[in-house]
Amino acid sequence: MLAEYAVRVERTRGRRFPESPHPYRNDFQRDRDRVIHARAFRRLENKTQVFTARVSDHFRNRLTHTIEVAQISRTIAEQLGLNVDLAEVLALVHDIGHPPFGHAGEKALNTAMQMHGLAFDHNLHALRIVEDFEMRYAAFRGLNLTFEVREGIIKHSRDYPADQHPELSEYLLDRRPPLEAQLIDLTDEIAYNTADLDDGYEADILSVQQICNGVPAFARAFQVAQARYPAAIEKLQFNEALKRFFNQLVTDLINNTRARITAAGVKSLEDVRNAPQRVAGFSDAVDAERRQAKQFLYTHLYYSPELKADKDRAEKVVAELFDFWMESPKELPRSYREKAQGEPLARVVCDYIAGMTDNFIAEQHRRFCGS
Ligand code: MG
């Protein structure tokens, strides 16, 4: 049962290139399938989430992270009476614009672009992938996704000021995105805040004691788990605690978003779009705990000495390859050399690098930069 404020697929604003309806898949289901079958989606398997050196096959990569975000988003969307198909495709596509080597790669790429007066932004890059770079259909470039999916790609995690992004004017930048899109940034946070604690613990970078000291919500859950399973090994007590923390975040997001929908008097999709701010969100108390977890992960995992060497290496690889192709554009593949005739070379080099997997960029670095 869809709530009255959900997006209804039969009222989609449609695709750039009209297509005839499919006999048994609706438009958002088709978009989900198009994303899953895209080359850029398959490459997520070999892109870093947090751990660049794959010390363990048990750690998340960007594909398994994406699947986790999709799973959480489906559950929450269903509980709120939202369009589950739309929430799912937005989750599946949310990280498709990420470059190799996680945030280190993203930072290095943006730094390199700034030297040329440009910038790299993974949401804008994701839109270019689905609009232009994916070549699957004879009739058009890109995946020809519905408006609501393209809008969600742009608006799920941040607001782009309309005056600075005239090229995005069709996406109603002065209005809020539907709740299905608003959810994604929050489910993304639930997914990585919990998964990174898990992988950080598994990697022996984070100890239970350390996590309990830095993340009070986890500490409470760990006490409950210990009291309930006093004889269990620590890893299983850890799992039980993490599950409870995870559940707390998901349940709070559902309950608090529901309460905010009521409090704001939201009765339709138009009300969601016209609301002065986003309606989906955690309660203040749980949001504070979410921020504690995030802050803890920055200090003790993302910026840890254990991950620093990988990060430095990632930044070096991206920066050196960028400079190499700027100086020797003839070494770019032909399709990119052709694109450089109509676009700034820096943008073309950036697009090429951003699409690479961790393995491929490392191989290119060995080949062209000799290390
Ligand atoms: Mg993500």
Side-chain angles (χ1 to χ4, degrees):
M1 272 296 285
L2 279 190
E4 58 269 42
Y5 43 75
V7 175
R8 295 187 136 64
V9 69
E10 61 277 13
R11 289 194 211 145
T12 172
R13 291 175 187 232
R15 306 182 186 282
R16 269 195 210 293
F17 306 95
E19 296 181 44
S20 40
H22 189 274
Y24 47 85
R25 288 181 304 156
N26 72 43
D27 278 326
F28 296 152
Q29 291 169 340
R30 287 175 92 179
D31 283 0
R32 174 200 59 203
D33 299 349
R34 285 173 191 203
V35 167
I36 289 175
H37 288 265
R39 285 171 59 154
F41 184 77
R42 291 197 291 281
R43 292 198 302 265
L44 293 173
E45 185 191 7
N46 191 230
K47 293 203 183 205
T48 292
Q49 179 66 16
V50 173
F51 291 88
T52 296
R54 295 297 302 282
V55 262
S56 164
D57 284 339
H58 296 149
F59 296 160
R60 275 80 176 173
N61 58 47
R62 223 163 255 285
L63 179 62
T64 59
H65 160 73
T66 293
I67 293 169
E68 292 181 359
V69 175
Q71 170 254 318
I72 303 165
S73 301
R74 286 185 61 97
T75 300
I76 297 175
E78 191 170 4
Q79 285 304 306
L80 292 172
L82 298 174
N83 192 310
V84 173
D85 295 328
L86 178 58
E88 184 178 25
V89 58
L90 290 177
L92 290 171
V93 81
H94 90 279
D95 269 353
I96 212 166
H98 266 285
F101 298 147
H103 287 286
E106 185 173 14
K107 191 176 136 206
L109 207 45
N110 192 40
T111 304
M113 286 294 270
Q114 283 173 344
M115 312 267 210
H116 301 275
L118 297 164
F120 174 77
D121 175 296
H122 70 91
N123 291 334
L124 300 178
H125 189 71
L127 190 66
R128 288 154 65 79
I129 289 173
V130 303
E131 287 264 81
D132 188 32
F133 302 163
E134 285 290 322
M135 303 268 278
R136 295 189 58 82
Y137 303 99
F140 43 75
R141 291 181 69 99
L143 302 179
N144 198 28
L145 301 176
T146 54
F147 172 87
E148 289 76 11
V149 175
R150 287 179 280 127
E151 180 199 20
I153 289 173
I154 287 303
K155 287 157 79 171
H156 73 270
S157 63
R158 54 167 288 204
D159 299 316
Y160 290 85
D163 55 337
Q164 288 168 35
H165 291 276
E167 80 282 10
L168 301 176
S169 61
E170 69 180 296
Y171 297 114
L172 321 169
L173 293 183
D174 52 339
R175 303 177 73 201
R176 255 40 66 209
L179 282 163
E180 287 82 350
Q182 293 185 27
L183 276 186
I184 302 304
D185 198 41
L186 305 163
T187 52
D188 187 24
E189 286 236 3
I190 294 174
Y192 70 69
N193 281 329
T194 52
D196 295 347
L197 289 176
D198 194 21
D199 289 349
Y201 173 71
E202 190 73 21
D204 280 330
I205 298 175
L206 305 174
S207 71
V208 164
Q209 196 51 53
Q210 223 180 352
I211 300 173
C212 285
N213 291 342
V215 188
F218 180 89
R220 285 199 313 273
F222 192 73
Q223 272 179 2
V224 174
Q226 263 187 323
R228 178 121 185 237
Y229 301 104
I233 58 166
E234 186 190 77
K235 171 63 182 167
L236 293 179
Q237 292 176 337
F238 173 90
N239 288 353
E240 289 289 333
L242 194 65
K243 180 186 84 175
R244 280 170 174 78
F245 179 43
F246 191 119
N247 234 336
Q248 183 204 1
L249 293 169
V250 171
T251 307
D252 182 79
L253 181 54
I254 294 167
N255 291 341
N256 193 63
T257 300
R258 200 178 272 141
R260 282 167 67 160
I261 288 168
T262 309
V266 168
K267 298 244 184 304
S268 65
L269 178 56
E270 280 304 288
D271 290 346
V272 174
R273 290 194 172 285
N274 291 333
Q277 59 245 315
R278 294 176 181 234
V279 182
F282 299 100
S283 66
D284 289 345
V286 169
D287 200 50
E289 298 194 313
R290 173 199 63 80
R291 280 200 307 273
Q292 281 171 333
K294 190 170 180 164
Q295 189 53 53
F296 173 83
L297 285 164
Y298 268 93
T299 312
H300 297 280
L301 184 64
Y302 309 147
Y303 292 134
S304 66
E306 288 89 341
L307 293 189
K308 187 162 189 317
D310 286 347
K311 223 199 284 274
D312 291 349
R313 167 96 192 137
E315 287 179 19
K316 178 177 142 81
V317 166
V318 169
E320 289 183 0
L321 270 176
F322 194 100
D323 290 346
F324 170 76
W325 279 309
M326 288 304 292
E327 277 159 35
S328 313
K330 62 178 193 319
E331 299 289 351
L332 285 165
R334 201 175 90 187
S335 59
Y336 287 89
R337 289 200 309 270
E338 285 168 7
K339 281 174 89 177
Q341 286 162 15
E343 280 180 281
L345 178 61
R347 175 63 62 198
V348 174
V349 170
C350 177
D351 284 344
Y352 185 39
I353 291 177
M356 293 180 184
T357 60
D358 292 6
N359 282 348
F360 187 75
I361 195 170
E363 184 195 308
Q364 295 293 299
H365 190 255
R366 277 191 296 276
R367 178 170 164 200
F368 292 118
C369 305
S371 66

Coordinates of all heavy atoms in Angstrom, one line a residue, residues 19 48-49 59 63 67 81 95 108 116 119 130 132 138 150 160 162 171 208 233 274 277-278 330 342 349 351 357 360:
E19 N 9.7 5.5 -24.5 CA 9.7 4.1 -24.8 C 8.4 3.5 -24.6 O 7.7 3.9 -23.7 CB 10.8 3.4 -24.0 CG 12.2 3.9 -24.2 CD 13.2 3.2 -23.3 OE1 13.1 1.9 -23.2 OE2 14.1 3.8 -22.7
T48 N 37.2 0.6 -4.0 CA 37.4 0.6 -2.5 C 36.2 1.2 -1.8 O 35.7 2.2 -2.3 CB 38.6 1.5 -2.2 OG1 39.8 0.8 -2.6 CG2 38.7 1.8 -0.7
Q49 N 35.8 0.6 -0.7 CA 34.8 1.3 0.2 C 35.7 2.0 1.2 O 35.8 3.2 1.3 CB 33.9 0.3 0.8 CG 32.9 0.9 1.8 CD 31.9 1.9 1.1 OE1 31.7 1.9 -0.1 NE2 31.3 2.7 1.9
F59 N 35.8 -8.0 3.8 CA 35.5 -6.6 3.9 C 34.6 -6.1 2.8 O 34.6 -6.7 1.7 CB 36.8 -5.8 3.9 CG 37.7 -6.1 5.1 CD1 39.0 -5.7 5.1 CD2 37.2 -6.7 6.3 CE1 39.9 -6.0 6.2 CE2 38.0 -6.9 7.3 CZ 39.3 -6.6 7.3
L63 N 30.5 -2.4 -4.1 CA 29.3 -3.2 -4.6 C 28.6 -3.8 -3.4 O 27.4 -3.7 -3.3 CB 29.7 -4.3 -5.6 CG 28.6 -5.2 -6.1 CD1 27.6 -4.3 -6.9 CD2 29.1 -6.3 -7.0
I67 N 24.8 -3.0 -2.1 CA 23.7 -4.0 -1.9 C 23.1 -3.8 -0.5 O 21.9 -3.9 -0.2 CB 24.3 -5.4 -2.1 CG1 24.6 -5.6 -3.6 CG2 23.2 -6.5 -1.7 CD1 25.4 -6.9 -3.9
G81 N 5.5 3.2 3.6 CA 4.6 3.3 2.5 C 5.1 4.0 1.3 O 4.3 4.5 0.5
D95 N 26.2 5.1 -5.5 CA 27.7 5.3 -5.5 C 28.3 5.0 -6.9 O 29.5 4.8 -7.0 CB 28.3 4.3 -4.5 CG 28.4 4.9 -3.1 OD1 28.2 6.2 -3.0 OD2 28.8 4.2 -2.1
A108 N 41.8 13.2 -4.4 CA 43.0 13.5 -5.3 C 42.5 13.9 -6.7 O 43.1 14.8 -7.3 CB 43.8 12.2 -5.5
H116 N 43.0 23.0 -12.6 CA 42.5 23.4 -13.9 C 41.2 24.2 -13.9 O 40.5 24.3 -14.8 CB 42.4 22.2 -14.8 CG 43.7 21.4 -15.0 ND1 44.6 21.8 -15.9 CD2 44.2 20.4 -14.3 CE1 45.7 20.9 -15.8 NE2 45.4 20.1 -14.8
A119 N 36.2 20.9 -11.1 CA 36.0 20.2 -9.9 C 35.5 18.8 -10.2 O 35.0 18.5 -11.3 CB 35.0 20.9 -9.0
V130 N 25.0 7.7 -16.3 CA 23.7 7.2 -16.7 C 23.2 7.9 -17.9 O 22.3 7.4 -18.6 CB 22.7 7.1 -15.6 CG1 23.2 6.3 -14.4 CG2 22.3 8.5 -15.1
D132 N 25.2 9.5 -20.4 CA 26.0 9.6 -21.5 C 27.0 8.4 -21.7 O 27.1 7.8 -22.8 CB 26.8 10.9 -21.4 CG 27.6 11.2 -22.7 OD1 27.1 10.8 -23.8 OD2 28.7 11.8 -22.6
A138 N 20.8 1.0 -29.0 CA 21.1 1.6 -30.3 C 20.4 2.9 -30.5 O 20.9 3.8 -31.3 CB 20.6 0.6 -31.4
R150 N 16.9 10.1 -12.1 CA 18.0 11.1 -12.4 C 17.9 12.2 -11.3 O 19.0 12.7 -10.8 CB 17.8 11.7 -13.8 CG 18.2 10.7 -14.9 CD 18.0 11.3 -16.2 NE 16.6 11.3 -16.7 CZ 15.9 12.3 -17.1 NH1 16.5 13.5 -17.2 NH2 14.6 12.2 -17.5
Y160 N 22.1 21.3 -4.5 CA 23.0 22.1 -5.4 C 22.3 23.4 -5.7 O 21.1 23.5 -6.1 CB 23.1 21.3 -6.8 CG 24.0 20.1 -6.6 CD1 23.5 18.9 -6.2 CD2 25.4 20.1 -6.9 CE1 24.2 17.8 -6.1 CE2 26.2 19.0 -6.7 CZ 25.6 17.8 -6.3 OH 26.4 16.7 -6.2
A162 N 20.7 26.5 -7.2 CA 20.3 26.7 -8.6 C 21.1 27.7 -9.4 O 21.4 27.5 -10.6 CB 18.8 27.1 -8.6
Y171 N 16.0 19.7 -12.7 CA 15.8 18.9 -11.6 C 15.2 19.6 -10.4 O 15.3 19.1 -9.2 CB 17.1 18.2 -11.2 CG 17.5 17.2 -12.3 CD1 18.7 17.5 -13.0 CD2 16.8 16.2 -12.6 CE1 19.1 16.7 -14.0 CE2 17.1 15.3 -13.7 CZ 18.3 15.6 -14.4 OH 18.7 14.8 -15.4
V208 N 37.0 -3.6 20.8 CA 35.7 -3.4 21.4 C 35.7 -2.3 22.4 O 34.9 -1.4 22.5 CB 35.1 -4.7 22.0 CG1 34.0 -4.4 23.0 CG2 34.7 -5.7 20.9
I233 N 31.9 -16.0 22.6 CA 33.2 -15.3 22.3 C 32.9 -13.9 21.9 O 31.8 -13.5 21.5 CB 33.9 -16.0 21.1 CG1 33.1 -16.0 19.9 CG2 34.3 -17.4 21.5 CD1 33.8 -16.4 18.6
N274 N 7.4 20.7 -1.4 CA 7.3 22.1 -1.0 C 7.7 22.4 0.4 O 7.7 23.5 0.8 CB 5.9 22.6 -1.2 CG 5.5 22.7 -2.7 OD1 6.4 22.9 -3.5 ND2 4.2 22.5 -3.0
Q277 N 12.2 22.2 4.6 CA 13.4 21.4 4.6 C 13.0 19.9 4.4 O 11.9 19.5 4.3 CB 14.2 21.6 5.8 CG 13.5 21.2 7.1 CD 13.4 22.5 8.0 OE1 14.3 23.2 8.1 NE2 12.2 22.7 8.5
R278 N 14.1 19.0 4.3 CA 13.9 17.6 4.1 C 13.1 17.1 5.3 O 13.3 17.5 6.4 CB 15.2 16.9 4.0 CG 15.9 17.3 2.7 CD 17.3 16.7 2.5 NE 17.9 17.1 1.3 CZ 18.4 16.4 0.3 NH1 18.4 15.0 0.5 NH2 18.9 16.9 -0.8
K330 N 48.1 11.9 -26.1 CA 48.1 10.9 -27.2 C 48.1 9.5 -26.6 O 47.8 8.5 -27.3 CB 49.3 11.1 -28.1 CG 50.6 11.0 -27.4 CD 51.7 11.2 -28.5 CE 53.1 10.7 -27.9 NZ 53.4 11.1 -26.5
G342 N 36.1 18.2 -28.0 CA 34.9 19.0 -27.7 C 34.8 19.4 -26.2 O 33.9 20.2 -25.9
V349 N 40.2 13.6 -19.0 CA 41.1 12.7 -18.2 C 40.4 12.3 -16.8 O 40.5 11.2 -16.4 CB 42.4 13.5 -17.9 CG1 43.3 12.8 -16.8 CG2 43.2 13.7 -19.2
D351 N 37.2 12.1 -16.3 CA 36.1 11.0 -16.6 C 36.8 9.7 -16.7 O 36.2 8.7 -16.3 CB 35.4 11.4 -17.9 CG 34.4 12.5 -17.7 OD1 34.1 12.9 -16.5 OD2 34.0 13.1 -18.7
T357 N 38.5 1.0 -12.1 CA 38.5 0.2 -10.9 C 39.9 0.3 -10.2 O 40.9 0.8 -10.8 CB 38.3 -1.3 -11.2 OG1 39.4 -1.7 -12.1 CG2 37.0 -1.6 -11.9
F360 N 42.5 -1.6 -12.3 CA 42.9 -1.1 -13.6 C 43.8 0.2 -13.4 O 44.7 0.3 -14.1 CB 41.6 -0.7 -14.4 CG 41.9 -0.3 -15.8 CD1 42.2 -1.2 -16.7 CD2 41.8 1.1 -16.1 CE1 42.5 -0.8 -18.0 CE2 42.1 1.5 -17.4 CZ 42.5 0.5 -18.4

